[in-house]
């Protein structure tokens, strides 16, 4: 969940923002926190292009392939949006609406949001009648059980860990590929699925929105190759998929809109064109010629495109830049020297120049400095500031801490997604002020999370974001800082490999709280305690800037999926003008 940027573009970007900012002088007012004075926030909460007309081809221009489309492995927020809105359905989902209402839960494959019993340790869902796969065969409760089990297979890495964490007797379970099944997921008949949990989970309905709770029939199992051809339960199916080049989706004629209150399935076809340069994508959609008028972008608008967009009302009217609701962090590898020393980690908290990273990430219209791990939506609308470090850092204090740790000079490696090289250079320059030499390794964005998730070859530093899967601290801190979530391969979230017994104990205590308000405050308090131990440096809060073509309708950034376009309701103004 990262931005694409170049540090050298700061001057052009600042000039563009000045043109579009209507005299804004307070950088906080023009930050990702928003407000009408922010030139990128003009379309917040709006649906662009009016109501779509059914038909035509909608093209998605992308700089990358999807890391995983297999629902057991899909845990990157924009890809979760794409997968669950177009290719597969889940037990529960979110409304297809902009703003706060988009966070509301609605039944999807299930008839309701689930029924708890046994003090919240048992959850029962009943499937709707008439839900079918792309071949017309019925979707069965056993197929959802099978995918939940698949999510725990060691070979199917990268997916959400909730099932493994919540289900009773799941410890040590290795998935169904060897013929073993979980007794804690029961399917008494084809339309009923029952989950037995190890502890009460009041928000399990929200957990059931994740791709883990999409159906996969055992007969379609292809192991790691399932990524290339998920079997559709949604409104579209895969016609062709040439990895790293093009994905073509066409209608699933067995999807029945009568069973689906969320997905509108306006276009006849979706075409995802991959491997394009970010600036090239921006220019094509800004120009809006031919098929590009019916296109949207997957990757974020690049900072150097701001002068072509913000000062021009016609183009700016086609820019969405919703808050991502995520925190981007510089995670330090706590499992080995030098970052196994808390003093060295604390030194980096002071060494990072967050203001420079904000500039590299698109300036104050698209980012603001982060001061805590939990994003504002999980901490009462404003982040805490436990350490009270200046946004530009304090290199003198960092040097003092490093000297106390016997590390007056350091040389460390930093892995970033290719498009984040500018932000990496800003980190590099900030740390150099404190005597820390940073060697940058750029990784293809489609492979980035697999690379940094391999603990045997993990670098010293990674730049990565974490977003709550739904509005609860339980979907943030445990996944990023609970040492029990670390995997040798497919590690997700805890890239710092932080293992701290006091933190683990407190996570369990908070998870056991029945009072949601009490738990919410406890997560905020725990955030402050972890900040003092400095496993990672919170760096940025971001917006997601996305341009849409002149023929696009029904476009808005969804609040749950980090401001990504909601593919459930997007379409075209005039399908006859589309191509492909």
């Amino acid at each position: 969940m990262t931005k694409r940027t170049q540090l050298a573009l700061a001057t052009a970007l600042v000039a563009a923002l000045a043109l579009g900012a209507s005299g804004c002088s307070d950088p906080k007012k023009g930050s990702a926190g928003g407000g009408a004075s922010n030139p990128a926030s003009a379309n917040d909460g709006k649906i662009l292009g009016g109501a779509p007309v059914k038909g035509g081809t909608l093209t998605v221009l992308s700089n990358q392939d999807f890391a995983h489309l297999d629902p057991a492995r899909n845990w990157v927020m924009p890809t979760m949006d794409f997968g669950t809105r177009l290719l597969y359905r889940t037990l529960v989902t979110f409304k297809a609406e902009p703003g706060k209402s988009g966070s509301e839960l609605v039944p999807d494959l299930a008839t309701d949001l689930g029924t708890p019993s046994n003090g919240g340790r048992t959850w029962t869902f009943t499937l709707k009648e008439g839900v079918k796969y792309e071949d017309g065969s019925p979707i069965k409760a056993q197929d959802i059980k099978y995918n939940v089990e698949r999510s725990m297979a060691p070979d199917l890495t990268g997916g959400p860990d909730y099932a493994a964490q919540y289900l009773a007797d799941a410890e040590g379970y290795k998935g169904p590929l060897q013929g073993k099944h979980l007794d804690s997921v029961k399917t008494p008949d084809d339309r009923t699925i029952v989950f037995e949990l190890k502890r009460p989970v009041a928000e399990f309905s929200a957990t059931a929105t994740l791709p883990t709770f999409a159906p996969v029939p055992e007969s379609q199992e292809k192991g790691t190759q399932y990524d290339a051809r998920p079997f559709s339960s949604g409104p579209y199916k895969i016609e062709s998929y040439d990895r790293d080049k093009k994905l073509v989706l066409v209608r699933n004629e067995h999807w029945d809109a009568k069973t689906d209150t969320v997905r509108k399935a306006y276009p006849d076809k979706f075409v995802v064109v991959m491997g394009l340069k970010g600036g090239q994508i921006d220019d094509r959609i800004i120009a809006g010629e031919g098929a590009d008028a019916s296109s949207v972008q997957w990757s974020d608008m690049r900072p150097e495109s701001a002068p072509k967009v913000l000062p021009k009302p016609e183009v700016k009217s086609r820019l969405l830049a919703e808050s991502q609701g995520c925190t981007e962090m510089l995670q330090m590898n706590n499992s080995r020297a030098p970052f196994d020393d808390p003093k060295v980690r604390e030194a980096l908290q002071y060494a990072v120049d967050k203001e420079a990273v904000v500039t590299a990430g698109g300036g104050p219209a698209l980012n603001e400095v982060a001061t805590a791990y939990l994003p504002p939506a999980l901490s009462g609308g404003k982040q805490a500031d436990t350490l009270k470090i200046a946004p530009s850092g304090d290199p003198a204090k960092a040097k003092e801490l490093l000297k106390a740790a016997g590390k007056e000079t350091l040389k460390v490696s930093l892995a970033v997604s290719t498009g984040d090289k500018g932000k990496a250079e800003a980190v590099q320059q900030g740390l150099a002020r404190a005597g820390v030499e940073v060697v940058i390794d750029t990784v293809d964005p489609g492979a980035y999370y697999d690379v940094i998730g391999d603990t045997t070859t993990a670098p010293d530093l990674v730049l990565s974001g974490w977003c709550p899967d739904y509005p609860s601290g339980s979907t943030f801190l445990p996944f990023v800082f609970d040492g029990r979530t670390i995997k040798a391969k497919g590690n997700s979230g805890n890239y710092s490999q932080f293992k701290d017994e006091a933190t683990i104990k407190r996570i369990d205590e908070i998870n056991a709280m029945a009072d949601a308000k009490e738990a919410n405050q406890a997560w905020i308090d725990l955030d402050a305690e972890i900040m003092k131990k400095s496993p990672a440096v919170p760096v940025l809060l971001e917006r997601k800037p996305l341009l849409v073509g002149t023929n696009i309708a029904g476009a808005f950034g969804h609040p749950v999926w980090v401001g990504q376009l909601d593919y459930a309701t997007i379409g075209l103004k005039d399908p006859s003008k589309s191509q492909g």
Side-chain angles (χ1 to χ4, degrees):
M1 302 62 132
T2 50
K3 293 278 177 276
R4 314 292 171 228
T5 185
Q6 290 291 336
L7 184 57
L9 299 163
T11 303
L13 180 64
V14 169
L17 296 180
L19 285 169
S22 303
C24 171
S25 59
D26 183 349
K28 283 293 182 186
K29 291 180 181 176
S31 72
S37 56
N38 185 338
S41 68
N43 296 321
D44 281 9
K46 293 182 180 178
I47 299 176
L48 304 187
V53 177
K54 192 171 184 178
T57 297
L58 192 152
T59 302
V60 182
L61 303 179
S62 180
N63 65 337
Q64 60 189 276
D65 197 351
F66 302 100
H68 298 293
L69 282 178
D70 182 336
R73 310 181 72 183
N74 183 354
W75 204 11
V76 176
M77 298 298 282
T79 311
M80 286 167 58
D81 169 22
F82 189 87
T84 60
R85 293 316 213 187
L86 300 179
L87 285 171
Y88 31 81
R89 300 173 65 177
T90 47
L91 285 171
V92 177
T93 192
F94 294 98
K95 280 188 175 179
E97 294 181 16
K100 186 177 180 180
S101 59
S103 300
E104 294 179 24
L105 298 174
V106 291
D108 190 1
L109 286 175
T111 56
D112 56 28
L113 300 181
T115 303
S117 57
N118 188 24
R121 287 180 172 83
T122 301
W123 281 79
T124 303
F125 296 85
T126 302
L127 300 192
K128 295 172 181 173
E129 294 186 33
V131 288
K132 298 177 181 179
Y133 290 109
E134 63 178 78
D135 66 350
S137 60
I139 297 169
K140 297 180 180 180
Q142 293 86 345
D143 305 335
I144 295 171
K145 170 182 168 72
Y146 186 71
N147 191 46
V148 169
E149 294 173 336
R150 293 176 76 247
S151 73
M152 301 182 214
D155 291 341
L156 303 180
T157 57
D161 289 341
Y162 291 87
Q165 288 199 29
Y166 290 171
L167 287 169
D169 304 320
E171 189 171 344
Y173 179 65
K174 301 297 184 183
L177 302 184
Q178 307 303 320
K180 294 183 179 179
H181 298 281
L182 269 178
D183 291 338
S184 52
V185 184
K186 297 177 170 59
T187 53
D189 57 58
D190 289 351
R191 290 183 52 218
T192 305
I193 186 165
V194 182
F195 299 96
E196 301 287 354
L197 311 181
K198 64 178 68 172
R199 64 171 177 82
V201 179
E203 58 207 17
F204 194 73
S205 293
T207 308
T209 64
L210 295 164
T212 310
F213 299 89
V216 172
E218 187 172 359
S219 62
Q220 294 293 323
E221 180 64 79
K222 295 180 177 65
T224 57
Q225 297 305 308
Y226 194 77
D227 249 341
R229 186 63 175 81
F231 195 57
S232 176
S233 56
Y236 297 90
K237 62 184 177 182
I238 295 176
E239 181 181 73
S240 62
Y241 191 5
D242 188 358
R243 297 303 299 260
D244 298 308
K245 294 180 180 178
K246 183 185 284 189
L247 170 68
V248 178
L249 304 183
V250 295
R251 290 193 183 279
N252 168 14
E253 59 270 27
H254 294 288
W255 169 79
D256 186 351
K258 293 176 184 176
T259 70
D260 194 336
T261 62
V262 175
R263 300 165 186 83
K264 302 307 178 187
Y266 288 115
D268 291 330
K269 183 185 292 187
F270 281 87
V271 177
V272 184
V273 181
M274 305 164 185
L276 303 172
K277 300 290 186 183
Q280 175 190 8
I281 294 170
D282 294 348
D283 288 345
R284 285 176 58 173
I285 298 181
I286 289 168
E289 297 175 355
D292 293 339
S294 302
S295 297
V296 300
Q297 65 184 158
W298 181 263
S299 53
D300 300 347
M301 182 188 79
R302 292 178 65 91
E304 68 265 37
S305 296
K308 308 171 189 177
V309 175
L310 296 179
K312 301 177 181 179
E314 185 282 324
V315 183
K316 184 179 166 185
S317 68
R318 296 189 278 116
L319 172 67
L320 291 164
E322 296 285 350
S323 173
Q324 292 196 23
C326 313
T327 306
E328 185 160 319
M329 295 164 277
L330 184 68
Q331 296 204 42
M332 299 169 265
N333 192 334
N334 292 209
S335 70
R336 62 170 187 252
F339 297 121
D340 56 348
D341 185 338
K343 282 293 179 192
V344 176
R345 301 198 301 265
E346 186 182 3
L348 258 68
Q349 293 271 26
Y350 287 88
V352 175
D353 184 349
K354 297 179 185 179
E355 283 187 339
V357 186
V358 164
T359 300
L366 299 178
N367 310 264
E368 67 177 293
V369 167
T371 55
Y373 302 123
L374 288 176
L378 301 184
S379 53
K382 184 179 180 181
Q383 280 199 308
D385 190 1
T386 304
L387 301 182
K388 295 182 170 51
I389 301 170
S392 60
D394 185 344
K397 176 70 171 177
K399 285 182 179 180
E400 180 185 315
L401 289 164
L402 287 173
K403 186 175 181 180
K407 303 282 186 182
E408 293 191 47
T409 60
L410 282 177
K411 185 175 182 178
V412 296
S413 59
L414 166 61
V416 294
S417 175
T418 305
D420 279 336
K421 189 177 179 183
K423 283 194 287 192
E425 289 169 349
V427 170
Q428 182 185 54
Q429 292 163 20
L431 296 188
R433 302 174 305 169
V436 180
E437 180 185 350
V438 176
V439 178
I440 298 170
D441 179 26
T442 56
V443 181
D444 180 86
Y448 182 60
Y449 291 101
D450 287 338
V451 170
I452 67 173
D454 187 334
T455 58
T456 61
T457 57
D460 298 316
L461 300 168
V462 301
L463 196 62
S464 68
W466 190 260
C467 315
D469 289 305
Y470 46 86
S472 168
S474 67
T475 70
F476 199 103
L477 294 181
F479 290 94
V480 184
F481 298 119
D482 187 334
R484 295 168 295 188
T485 66
I486 300 169
K487 301 175 184 175
K489 289 185 182 292
N491 187 36
S492 297
N494 194 347
Y495 299 117
S496 62
Q497 299 183 52
F498 178 63
K499 297 179 181 178
D500 178 69
E501 289 304 318
T503 300
I504 290 171
K505 180 182 178 184
R506 188 57 180 153
I507 285 171
D508 287 344
E509 290 170 350
I510 300 171
N511 277 330
M513 292 178 181
D515 186 312
K517 187 175 181 180
E518 179 188 4
N520 181 63
Q521 184 58 51
W523 289 123
I524 295 170
D525 295 342
L526 179 59
D527 183 281
E529 290 304 309
I530 299 174
M531 277 290 292
K532 295 173 186 175
K533 298 174 182 179
S534 298
V537 181
V539 180
L540 296 181
L541 301 170
E542 301 175 290
R543 285 180 174 266
K544 190 166 188 65
L546 296 168
L547 289 164
V548 302
T550 54
N551 194 35
I552 296 295
F556 63 89
H558 198 280
V560 171
W561 290 297
V562 301
Q564 178 59 278
L565 296 166
D566 192 337
Y567 284 91
T569 56
I570 199 168
L572 305 174
K573 296 177 183 177
D574 185 351
S576 69
K577 291 183 178 179
S578 67
Q579 301 173 22

